Amino acid sequence: MSGTIEHFESLRSEFINDYDATKGSIFGHKGLKVQGKIFAFYNEPNLVVKLKKEDVEEALKVVGTQNFDPMGGKPMKEWVEIPYDQKQWFDYGLKGMMYVKSLIK
């Protein structure tokens, strides 16, 4: 879907301005960090988010969503790739941020 990078940039600005997120990158992709740890990033044309097990199971019910598999053949269990939907990107981004925050001691 064309224009999804603009939607990601808008989402990223919202998380940076209204929450405790900062800019980051992973695998050469633009991302979002909380307390120095990546919780979401843009993998054209999808949003990739780190989620707890229950949220991964819920997210995988969304049409087009899949576990993130950067190398092909070994999906990352906590990371899901979500097709563009403004509300879902925000909701899962927020869940990802809260999950990653909970892991930081």
Side-chain angles (χ1 to χ4, degrees), residues 49-88:
V49 184
K50 184 172 184 168
L51 299 170
K52 64 183 177 182
K53 183 180 179 179
E54 299 81 23
D55 291 334
V56 168
E57 291 169 1
E58 176 188 305
L60 290 173
K61 294 176 185 175
V62 175
V63 174
T65 297
Q66 59 191 6
N67 284 101
F68 179 61
D69 188 359
M71 305 287 269
K74 190 170 181 183
M76 298 173 73
K77 294 179 184 176
E78 290 186 314
W79 291 88
V80 294
E81 200 163 359
I82 303 169
Y84 176 70
D85 177 285
Q86 187 172 0
K87 181 173 177 6
Q88 288 174 351

Side-chain angles (χ1 to χ4, degrees), residues 24-31 38 41-43 48 68-71 76 79:
S25 65
I26 185 170
F27 303 121
H29 300 282
K30 294 179 178 188
I38 293 285
F41 63 94
Y42 180 73
N43 187 38
V48 180
F68 179 61
D69 188 359
M71 305 287 269
M76 298 173 73
W79 291 88

